[in-house]
């Protein structure tokens, strides 16, 4: 290990050379120490900033890497390698449009360099034709990169990926299969071949490749995600839930007392906390209440029993600006206080639901279907949806599971199928819905499910539509928590969005633009008040929004709704 004493008296050139050598052998700590000493001498030196960018890129910090490379590019605009690395970091940071521009500059400076052409192709494959600066088909650039380095399997793999993203599935499969058969496939090539086969409808072959990719930590998360989607498409809801459960543990850690079947998936609490620091006042308030509740229920070990107070202390210390913000980034000090549990599956209140009905079999299910199919708009209200022990188990799951990671709007949190909202009871509810409503839900596959938990005194979901066939929405919070029995539920408007709207427009159009579009039909809305164990089924394409919320204070009184989407949109 390099010590600070060893670097005393070294010149800037010696320090940057030491950093470059350390980066080359993957010793990132040694590189960081050498660069810290070099930056103390010359913080703006291009080579220092370039190596700092490379260090950040190797540490999985593409935004930080791009910041360094952008500064170097300003100082050395004619350096192709700088623009190439900038393009790579921007692509990994999720900005394909800027990555494409930077890669084109690198390619113009060094036309013989295959890396820049490949980055143009990969970035372009993530963009629509309208958004692309480079108007040619991305596969043309990928082919060119492969021709420049014909013996490089990485370029062949990138070509296969771009062909898949461009819809050229047969050719993509041939390219990727050749790599796999000749033992030259990289970790993502097997995964991408699975994606190609899934697109071609060869589900069993795709699932086998996803299973193999899940055994490799480099592709494990993507493999579980794609495996879950493939299983959903095939109607295997329990299999999808299992894959999503493994994905959640890979991303958010393994909870205390976890199911033995997930042993070895993800890191146990409290090690290796996820790095995202995105927070909101209502998220901190919820987590403070939840961890206090878990401690009161004796569901936390001693070393985590004070986490509710830690969240409360961070919440109390927020600046006025952060308190009013929709979201913000935690400081290092704030994150350090919360890191043992922040964005972690610390506790899952599993229901252990087995092979028994979850929905009340005594309801008039054929009559409910008749009402739905004849309704204008199509909808049905179902009271006493769940059998009593299922309702209690589901409440307990929502209260005790630390899965509420997604900051939504200005007053509620989301837990998704992919990130822990995948208990066997939820699976059974979805399966029972398909079995008991064969005309309404039976023809449709489950597409996804989620739960939302609301902050008292704040607002819910704006008017929007979902890109599915049938929406099943139900509530589990006790009736006595709702201080206004005439509201607290859902409003459904009897009008579909324009046929030319995109998915983004369905979900993110402004409130006023939706109201303007609804016009007189807004007055014919179906308003269904909140009731515990009540479900509302409706055509998912109809505009809908959360009604006024007025619930009592206290953690167990938070409004909780669960949504399941079945079938595809138009």
């Amino acid at each position: 290990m390099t010590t600070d004493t060893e670097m005393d008296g070294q010149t800037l050139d010696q320090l940057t050379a030491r950093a470059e050598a350390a980066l080359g052998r993957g010793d990132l700590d040694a590189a960081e120490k050498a660069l810290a000493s070099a930056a103390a001498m010359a913080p703006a030196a291009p080579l220092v900033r370039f190596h700092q960018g490379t260090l950040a890129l190797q540490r999985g910090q593409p935004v930080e890497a791009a910041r360094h490379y952008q500064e170097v590019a300003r100082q050395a605009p004619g350096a192709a390698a700088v623009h190439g690395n900038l393009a790579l970091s921007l692509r990994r940071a999720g900005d394909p449009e800027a990555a494409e521009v930077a890669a084109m500059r690198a390619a113009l400076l060094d036309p013989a360099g295959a890396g820049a052409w490949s980055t143009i192709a990969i970035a372009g494959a993530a963009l629509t034709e309208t958004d692309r600066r480079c108007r040619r088909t991305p596969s043309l650039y990928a082919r060119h990169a492969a021709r420049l380095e014909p013996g490089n399997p990485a370029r062949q793999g990138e070509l296969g990926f771009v062909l898949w993203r461009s819809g050229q599935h047969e050719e993509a499969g041939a390219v990727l299969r050749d790599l796999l058969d000749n033992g030259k496939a990289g970790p993502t090539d097997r995964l991408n071949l699975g994606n190609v086969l899934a697109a071609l409808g060869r589900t069993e072959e795709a699932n086998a490749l996803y299973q193999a990719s899940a055994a490799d930590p480099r592709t494990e998360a993507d493999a579980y995600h794609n495996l879950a989607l493939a299983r959903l498409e095939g109607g295997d809801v329990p299999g999808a839930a299992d894959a999503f459960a493994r994905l959640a543990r890979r991303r958010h850690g393994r909870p205390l007392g976890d199911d033995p079947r997930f042993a070895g998936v993800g890191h146990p609490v409290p090690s290796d906390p996820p790095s995202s620091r995105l927070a909101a006042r209502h998220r901190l308030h919820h987590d403070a209440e939840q961890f206090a509740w878990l401690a009161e229920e004796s569901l936390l070990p001693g070393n985590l029993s004070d986490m509710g107070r830690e969240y409360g202390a961070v919440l109390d210390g927020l600046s006025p600006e952060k308190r009013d913000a929709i979201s913000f980034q935690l400081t290092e000090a704030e994150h350090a206080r919360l890191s043992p549990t922040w964005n972690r599956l610390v506790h899952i209140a599993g229901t252990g639901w087995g092979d028994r009905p979850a929905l009340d079999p005594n309801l008039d299910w054929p009559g409910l279907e008749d009402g739905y199919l004849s309704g204008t708009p199509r909808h049905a209200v179902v009271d006493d949806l769940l059998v009593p022990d299922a309702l209690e188990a589901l409440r307990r799951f929502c209260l005790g599971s630390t899965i509420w990671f997604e900051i939504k709007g200005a007053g509620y949190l989301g837990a998704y199928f992919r990130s822990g909202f995948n208990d066997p009871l939820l699976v059974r509810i979805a399966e029972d819905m398909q079995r008991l409503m064969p005309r309404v839900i039976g023809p449709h596959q489950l597409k996804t499910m989620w739960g939302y938990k609301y902050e008292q005194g704040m607002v819910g979901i704006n008017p929007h539509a979902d890109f599915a066939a049938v929406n099943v929405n139900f509530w589990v919070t006790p009736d006595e928590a709702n201080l206004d029995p005439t509201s607290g539920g859902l409003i459904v408007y009897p009008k579909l969005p324009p046929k030319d709207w995109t998915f983004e427009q369905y979900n993110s159009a402004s409130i006023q633009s939706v109201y303007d579009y609804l016009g007189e039909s807004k007055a014919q809305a179906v308003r269904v008040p909140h009731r515990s164990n009540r479900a509302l089924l409706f055509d998912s394409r109809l505009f809908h929004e959360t009604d006024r919320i007025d619930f009592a204070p206290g953690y167990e009184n938070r409004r909780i709704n669960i949504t399941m989407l079945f079938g595809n949109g138009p």
Side-chain angles (χ1 to χ4, degrees):
M1 179 180 291
T2 304
T3 65
D4 294 337
T5 303
E6 289 175 356
M7 290 187 287
D8 289 346
Q10 292 200 345
T11 66
L12 181 64
D13 287 345
Q14 288 173 322
L15 289 169
T16 52
R18 182 186 287 272
E20 183 175 3
L23 288 169
R25 64 176 182 270
D27 189 348
L28 304 188
D29 290 338
E32 183 177 28
K33 287 183 178 180
L35 287 171
S37 297
M41 292 183 187
L47 194 55
V48 174
R49 295 298 294 268
F50 182 84
H51 289 326
Q52 286 175 322
T54 304
L55 174 64
L57 199 57
Q58 290 191 23
R59 281 195 162 150
Q61 301 167 324
V63 174
E64 177 73 5
R67 186 174 65 83
H68 288 296
Y69 290 136
Q70 282 166 338
E71 178 57 34
V72 180
R74 280 191 284 270
Q75 298 182 58
V82 176
H83 293 288
N85 282 19
L86 173 59
L88 180 61
S89 61
L90 288 168
R91 180 170 67 80
R92 291 182 181 175
D95 190 349
E97 193 166 6
E100 186 185 40
V101 172
M104 181 55 77
R105 288 177 181 151
L108 292 173
L109 290 165
D110 181 17
W117 296 110
S118 184
T119 299
I120 293 170
I122 295 171
L127 296 168
T128 65
E129 188 171 353
T130 303
D131 291 334
R132 282 187 215 126
R133 299 291 182 90
C134 307
R135 298 301 179 190
R136 294 184 179 179
T137 305
S139 60
L140 293 176
Y141 294 105
R143 293 182 204 280
H144 182 59
R147 282 194 296 269
L148 288 172
E149 294 182 358
N152 187 344
R155 301 294 174 228
Q156 292 297 118
E158 290 160 357
L159 173 60
F161 168 80
V162 172
L163 289 167
W164 163 60
R165 290 298 298 266
S166 301
Q168 297 165 268
H169 299 139
E170 294 288 353
E171 186 180 358
V175 170
L176 294 169
R177 175 62 71 185
D178 181 68
L179 286 172
L180 197 63
D181 290 346
N182 289 293
K184 296 180 180 180
T188 60
D189 296 332
R190 178 185 287 106
L191 179 66
N192 288 333
L193 180 56
N195 297 335
V196 170
L197 293 174
L200 291 170
R202 294 159 62 177
T203 306
E204 289 188 12
E205 295 172 83
N207 286 352
L209 289 168
Y210 291 148
Q211 291 279 21
S213 295
D216 187 328
R218 295 168 294 182
T219 53
E220 181 184 16
D222 287 338
Y224 282 137
H225 179 266
N226 293 0
L227 178 61
L229 294 181
R231 286 174 171 172
L232 269 183
E233 192 66 27
D236 180 7
V237 179
D242 180 83
F244 274 142
R246 294 174 188 275
L247 172 65
R249 283 155 178 78
R250 176 66 175 78
R251 289 179 173 169
H252 299 283
R254 193 163 64 251
L256 300 164
D258 197 17
D259 189 319
R261 67 195 173 102
F262 300 124
V265 181
H267 297 272
V269 170
S271 68
D272 191 34
S275 59
S276 173
R277 299 182 185 181
L278 186 68
R281 182 187 66 78
H282 67 278
R283 163 76 192 273
L284 293 172
H285 185 216
H286 167 271
D287 288 6
E289 287 193 338
Q290 184 177 46
F291 280 102
W293 185 88
L294 288 168
E296 290 171 4
E297 296 288 313
S298 301
L299 296 173
L300 293 177
N303 64 322
L304 298 179
S305 60
D306 287 335
M307 286 309 303
R309 282 187 283 274
E310 292 292 337
Y311 279 90
V314 171
L315 179 63
D316 292 341
L318 293 181
S319 66
E321 293 77 15
K322 284 187 173 181
R323 283 185 165 274
D324 293 337
I326 293 177
S327 63
F328 56 84
Q329 294 289 330
L330 295 170
T331 65
E332 281 195 31
E334 290 167 342
H335 184 258
R337 297 188 74 164
L338 308 180
S339 62
T341 60
W342 182 252
N343 282 347
R344 296 302 305 248
L345 295 178
V346 178
H347 184 264
I348 298 292
T351 66
W353 200 263
D355 186 19
R356 51 197 173 109
L359 303 189
D360 188 343
N362 298 315
L363 295 177
D364 180 12
W365 292 103
L368 290 167
E369 285 196 292
D370 289 339
Y372 179 94
L373 294 171
S374 63
T376 305
R378 284 191 166 186
H379 73 285
V381 177
V382 185
D383 284 315
D384 301 317
L385 176 74
L386 305 176
V387 297
D389 55 339
L391 175 62
E392 180 56 34
L394 192 53
R395 280 179 182 164
R396 189 84 180 172
F397 171 76
C398 292
L399 290 171
S401 300
T402 60
I403 56 178
W404 305 92
F405 305 131
E406 297 285 338
I407 297 168
K408 307 294 293 184
Y412 61 106
L413 301 174
Y416 289 89
F417 201 10
R418 65 179 181 271
S419 56
F421 200 71
N422 41 53
D423 187 85
L425 174 53
L426 292 164
V427 171
R428 184 57 193 251
I429 292 170
E431 292 181 321
D432 282 358
M433 292 297 304
Q434 289 185 298
R435 178 175 57 82
L436 293 170
M437 303 193 82
R439 291 176 289 158
V440 172
I441 298 178
H444 304 293
Q445 302 293 356
L446 177 73
K447 306 307 292 185
T448 189
M449 68 173 84
W450 64 77
Y452 286 155
K453 194 187 289 189
Y454 296 75
E455 178 85 353
Q456 290 93 331
M458 297 185 78
V459 296
I461 307 170
N462 292 334
H464 69 289
D466 293 307
F467 210 69
V470 182
N471 184 312
V472 178
N473 187 95
F474 58 100
W475 303 288
V476 299
T477 305
D479 287 342
E480 53 268 26
N482 183 10
L483 300 179
D484 182 1
T486 67
S487 70
L490 202 63
I491 302 171
V492 179
Y493 298 103
K495 193 171 183 179
L496 301 173
K499 291 183 178 180
D500 60 347
W501 274 26
T502 65
F503 175 80
E504 288 73 21
Q505 288 172 300
Y506 266 61
N507 281 271
S508 59
S510 70
I511 298 174
Q512 193 56 52
S513 67
V514 173
Y515 286 163
D516 290 343
Y517 171 74
L518 290 172
E520 294 181 0
S521 67
K522 186 172 181 291
Q524 283 79 53
V526 175
R527 176 176 267 107
V528 179
H530 172 278
R531 293 290 184 274
S532 179
N533 208 16
R534 167 178 282 179
L536 172 62
L537 283 65
F538 58 95
D539 184 332
S540 194
R541 300 167 300 162
L542 294 168
F543 282 110
H544 53 283
E545 65 177 308
T546 308
D547 203 350
R548 300 182 309 275
I549 299 174
D550 186 12
F551 279 60
Y555 180 62
E556 294 188 11
N557 293 323
R558 286 175 176 266
R559 179 186 189 271
I560 299 172
N561 79 273
I562 294 164
T563 298
M564 296 179 176
L565 298 185
F566 293 86
N568 295 314

